[in-house]
Amino acid sequence: MEPSGTTGQEGSENSDVAPAGGALVAMPAATSQIAWAVTRMRAGGRIVVNETLLAAYQAASSPHSLRALKSDLEAFDLWCRRTGRIALPATPETVADYLDARAGQGARPASLGRYKASIAKIHQLLDLKDPTQAELVKLRLRAIKREKGTAQAQARPLRFKGPVRDVACDKPRGINVRALLEACADDLPGLRDRALLSVAYDTGLRASELVAVGVEHVMDAIDPEARLLAIPRSKGDQEGEGATAYLSPRSARAIAAWTEAAGITAGPLFRRVQVRRYKARPAAKGRSIDSLSSREAWDLRKTLPRRAVPARVEYDVGTGALHPGSIGPIWRAMIRKAFACGALPDLTEDDVVRLLKGVSAHSTRVGLNQDLFVAGEDLAGIMDALRWKSPRMPLAYNRNLAAEAGAAGRLMNKLG
């Protein structure tokens, strides 16, 4: 492979890369991550890399999309090397066999669709014939979907009062947001987690959107006790049209408590909190110089008396935002703490272990979606509140609740 627009006279500005295909590739020193990933793939011949086009694609894509494409390309190339195939340009047989192999490893149809799309995208960007359009690839993927089904695993919902029928009147039960908020400690980690969970539930933000919240995004609302949250960009709004979400008085109070205690006045709202714990140290009398043996390190401080030091905890608040991957573990840690302090009385330890397996960063979004459904909100209102572009996902999240609230469910409840 070689990039377009480079010549042999530019040797001092280029770095040479030799891919497994055998051709020497000269890449500009300042190159996009996608272009760099492409030049490392196993090629069957000389391929011209349009660096300008790839750079434009990178500029037009979200960081998440770029990471996914790069990861998919590296996985496809690794499989091709292990099986003696050519990754660029790939044949329909190679793509079909790759999808079969990934399905055999447990990949779900939704993931296979993403792998197929990534292979198609890089062929399009390199002006190569797209192998994924071949009938063989379509039929193989259809056969996999027929065998495995297309249903996606759904995150376990974190609803405000748990699995209840009436969100206004029923008492909380099971794992519920209310109990988790009340179980948070009043130290810095607890204040942050309370604000984090409260905002996540109120807004239904995805993990990447939640950690991108800045202090400047919190705005006054008509209700002096509530707040509004500006969402500059989201998964469904890559061009930055923007949206606004409502923050309850509960969230407003939690944010104020957290920012005041952490001294945060600008920048990322939700940050890492490093905890340092020091054990208590008892008092000690001073020693005479004569008592210091020759085998001890010579230190005159040992002759001085030492006061007792109580146990203490110190916190350091970071300057950068939390990583999106930390949100799910934070929810699970909050659930364990709430159970340990007796805030989830109707659950056993086995219940908690079982339920934790389905909790992820997406659980608050699913929980809000379901609570809105149970509260009687229509689909248009739910889509607006959670900024859905399509009704497919909110309907999928409410599928189980819809079955319970449907005609058959109402009849069975009457029959007892």
Side-chain angles (χ1 to χ4, degrees):
M1 285 181 240
E2 73 181 39
S4 60
T6 60
T7 69
Q9 297 176 347
E10 296 175 315
S12 61
E13 299 179 6
N14 297 340
S15 58
D16 293 337
V17 181
L24 188 65
V25 182
M27 282 301 298
T31 187
S32 71
Q33 57 178 301
I34 298 300
W36 176 247
V38 167
T39 60
R40 299 175 67 85
M41 296 178 71
R42 193 166 194 239
R46 182 176 180 272
I47 296 175
V48 176
V49 178
N50 188 334
E51 174 71 1
T52 303
L53 177 60
L54 290 178
Y57 171 76
Q58 180 163 319
S61 304
S62 69
H64 177 77
S65 297
L66 293 172
R67 286 194 298 270
L69 177 60
K70 184 173 180 288
S71 173
D72 291 347
L73 295 180
E74 290 173 346
F76 178 56
D77 180 57
L78 179 61
W79 180 85
C80 287
R81 292 174 185 273
R82 287 175 174 171
T83 58
R85 313 291 183 95
I86 297 299
L88 291 174
T91 64
E93 291 77 11
T94 295
V95 176
D97 290 347
Y98 175 65
L99 296 179
D100 274 342
R102 293 302 299 265
Q105 294 170 352
R108 301 294 299 172
S111 298
L112 298 177
R114 194 190 90 177
Y115 304 151
K116 172 178 171 285
S118 294
I119 295 170
K121 175 56 67 177
I122 201 59
H123 279 75
Q124 294 163 8
L125 291 173
L126 296 176
D127 199 23
L128 299 172
K129 183 178 180 180
D130 181 2
T132 67
Q133 293 302 310
E135 194 64 20
L136 174 64
V137 176
K138 295 178 181 179
L139 290 173
R140 287 277 191 93
L141 191 54
R142 192 180 305 166
I144 294 171
K145 290 180 178 179
R146 183 180 178 85
E147 177 186 351
K148 293 182 174 291
T150 58
Q152 291 181 256
Q154 179 180 300
R156 184 172 298 280
L158 278 179
R159 296 175 56 190
F160 192 74
K161 288 187 175 181
V164 297
R165 293 181 183 275
D166 189 329
V167 293
C169 300
D170 289 354
K171 292 182 179 180
R173 68 185 187 91
I175 296 178
N176 62 91
V177 171
R178 181 173 172 177
L180 301 187
L181 293 174
E182 292 174 352
C184 287
D186 289 328
D187 55 13
L188 273 176
L191 292 174
R192 182 206 61 189
D193 291 350
R194 181 183 288 121
L196 183 69
L197 178 59
S198 190
V199 170
Y201 175 80
D202 280 2
T203 61
L205 289 173
R206 301 172 180 87
S208 59
E209 300 160 1
L210 185 61
V211 300
V213 172
V215 175
E216 64 278 9
H217 297 150
V218 180
M219 308 177 296
D220 290 338
I222 296 176
D223 181 350
E225 295 187 357
R227 294 292 183 270
L228 297 177
L229 180 67
I231 307 171
R233 193 180 302 273
S234 64
K235 180 180 178 182
D237 178 26
Q238 294 299 325
E239 296 182 359
E241 182 179 338
T244 304
Y246 175 76
L247 293 175
S248 65
R250 162 182 34 81
S251 289
R253 292 191 296 270
I255 291 172
W258 156 242
T259 52
E260 182 179 353
I264 298 174
T265 57
L269 180 59
F270 301 118
R271 311 179 183 191
R272 173 193 56 80
V273 178
Q274 184 177 8
V275 183
R276 293 196 302 272
R277 302 182 187 277
Y278 297 89
K279 294 181 179 180
R281 190 177 66 188
K285 295 181 179 180
R287 297 168 57 185
S288 66
I289 293 180
D290 296 340
S291 69
L292 300 179
S293 69
S294 59
R295 283 178 285 184
E296 290 185 87
W298 183 260
D299 189 348
L300 286 177
R301 286 176 297 182
K302 294 180 179 179
T303 65
L304 301 175
R306 189 174 63 192
R307 294 183 302 173
V309 177
R312 70 186 191 279
V313 181
E314 294 180 357
Y315 304 100
D316 282 332
V317 179
T319 56
L322 288 172
H323 189 278
S326 67
I327 303 301
I330 288 175
W331 295 166
R332 293 189 287 273
M334 292 178 70
I335 292 169
R336 294 189 191 96
K337 290 177 183 177
F339 177 75
C341 70
L344 305 174
D346 57 331
L347 296 179
T348 66
E349 187 170 352
D350 289 341
D351 291 333
V352 173
V353 171
R354 174 178 56 83
L355 295 173
L356 278 176
K357 294 178 181 178
V359 174
S360 74
H362 222 56
S363 291
T364 46
R365 185 170 176 83
V366 180
L368 176 61
N369 197 94
Q370 293 192 355
D371 277 347
L372 289 170
F373 177 83
V374 171
E377 296 295 335
D378 59 19
L379 180 58
I382 295 175
M383 289 179 62
D384 181 63
L386 287 159
R387 302 162 298 282
W388 293 109
K389 297 296 184 183
S390 163
R392 185 176 69 87
M393 289 310 297
L395 288 174
Y397 288 160
N398 291 330
R399 183 170 54 221
N400 293 344
L401 290 177
E404 216 175 318
R410 292 195 298 271
L411 173 62
M412 299 311 161
N413 286 329
K414 291 177 181 177
L415 296 177

